[in-house]
Amino acid sequence: MKIFSRLRTRCGHLNLKDTLRNNVGVRYFSSEFKLWSQRIFSGIQPTGNLHLGNYFGAVQRWVELQDSGKDVIYSIVDLHSITLPQDPEELRSNILKVAATLIACGINPEKSILFQQSKVRQHTELCWILGCRTTMPRLAHLPQFKEKSSALKDVPLGLYVYPVLQCADILLYRATEVPVGEDQVQHLQLAQHLARNFNNQYGAVFPIPKALVGDSHTSRLRSLRDPLKKMSKSEPDPRSRINLTDTSDSILEKCKKAVTDFTSALTFNPEERPGVSNLITIHSLLSGKSPQEICNECASLDTGRYKLVLAEVIEEKLKPIREETVRLMADPVYLKTVLEKGSEKASLIAEETLLDVKNRVGLIAL
Ligand code: TYM
């Protein structure tokens, strides 16, 4: 009863039951019983072309969430991308290309805040404060760090601190939900840990952010060259991924070269036949048909001929995205303006949180 009277006080004029039932408006309450505005945050690195894994694991949902009635903030996380070496000209161009591709996919700068991470200095400041509360063993155990650092002789400090910066991204906006692919779940768990840890000492400063991860198919598309690995921007073989801006020839070539197995019939069995099942998954996500429907429809085709059908389905979906990206890339002034306005809006929210944090920690003289 005590809890509900506290909630009622915080909800003010809102009907408490409706508030808790609806997905819109003020509804989230953390272990401190504080109600938080619903806010979505996510980020993407400008380290190359966006691919189908990024699209189905994250961007498609980012677009849908714009109509959820919640605040929506998406960041091109350039500071994360420099944790590994980048060519300056390529990075500059990739930042705009990612912005263009996101807009071509349906991110609407009128509905969401789209911004470049390094333009909002509060990310690095909060990263430092959170870094002072993170232990080294916790970071060393994160799978993405282990995977990326294992290939390096000298591991940059930035790569080690990467997850803390990601937590700062999320907590700076007091995000309640974070739409990501499966590979980001451990980073989200760190953000939850840091939010709880900070709240325990200083009071209800952060909501506990929840990862919004799709089903097992969308949340982890596999490499076309090695279906035991995820589709990734950093995989050296470009044939391992279908980029959202690939030409029809390139899509056809990559589909033809996709690794399957020695069985020519089309069957869906991700455990036993990961290669062909990954192709059917992509087809299913693009067409809305179930894997079984696709296998029935294409029963007369061997995997070689099926790959040609798949290439056509991919081309149909990607052609408008590719054309719109090319059109937007021809207008860098527009893209820079979108990012600038986004950064201005993001900075306002970021500054409010950072002031609160600095004040609680004792960094501001009263
Ligand atoms: P990044 O740039 O690697 O990927 C962006 C998003 O795409 C998802 N993704 C996939 N989903 C399904 N199948 C795949 N093969 C696949 N590959 C990538 C990723 O899970 C991600 O959601 N650390 C993040 C960027 C980041 C961030 C953040 C994300 C920085 N700060 C704060 C969320 C919140 C990353 O490297 O994403």
Side-chain angles (χ1 to χ4, degrees), residues 25-63:
V26 219
R27 154 197 120 126
Y28 189 96
F29 53 111
S30 72
S31 50
E32 294 87 1
F33 306 113
K34 175 161 175 143
L35 293 156
W36 298 98
S37 294
Q38 288 280 287
R39 187 173 282 151
I40 312 287
F41 180 92
S42 199
I44 194 157
Q45 292 192 69
T47 40
N49 289 301
L50 303 199
H51 53 67
L52 282 178
N54 298 130
Y55 184 77
F56 287 116
V59 178
Q60 189 183 41
R61 237 147 358 110
W62 292 11
V63 173

Side-chain angles (χ1 to χ4, degrees), residues 41-45 51 53-54 57-58 77 80 162 166 169-170 178 180-181 183-184 218-221 230-231 233:
F41 180 92
S42 199
I44 194 157
Q45 292 192 69
H51 53 67
N54 298 130
V77 289
H80 280 100
Y162 180 118
Q166 180 159 350
D169 297 341
I170 296 166
V178 186
V180 281
D183 59 339
Q184 301 300 314
T218 50
S219 62
R220 189 183 167 86
L221 279 198
K230 69 163 188 171
M231 189 179 282
K233 287 184 231 140

Side-chain angles (χ1 to χ4, degrees), residues 146-176:
K146 279 199 204 158
E147 188 196 315
K148 290 194 176 172
S149 61
S150 65
L152 301 171
K153 191 165 152 272
D154 293 315
V155 180
L157 181 61
L159 196 61
Y160 199 69
V161 179
Y162 180 118
V164 184
L165 180 59
Q166 180 159 350
C167 296
D169 297 341
I170 296 166
L171 300 185
L172 196 53
Y173 300 95
R174 295 179 155 130
T176 50

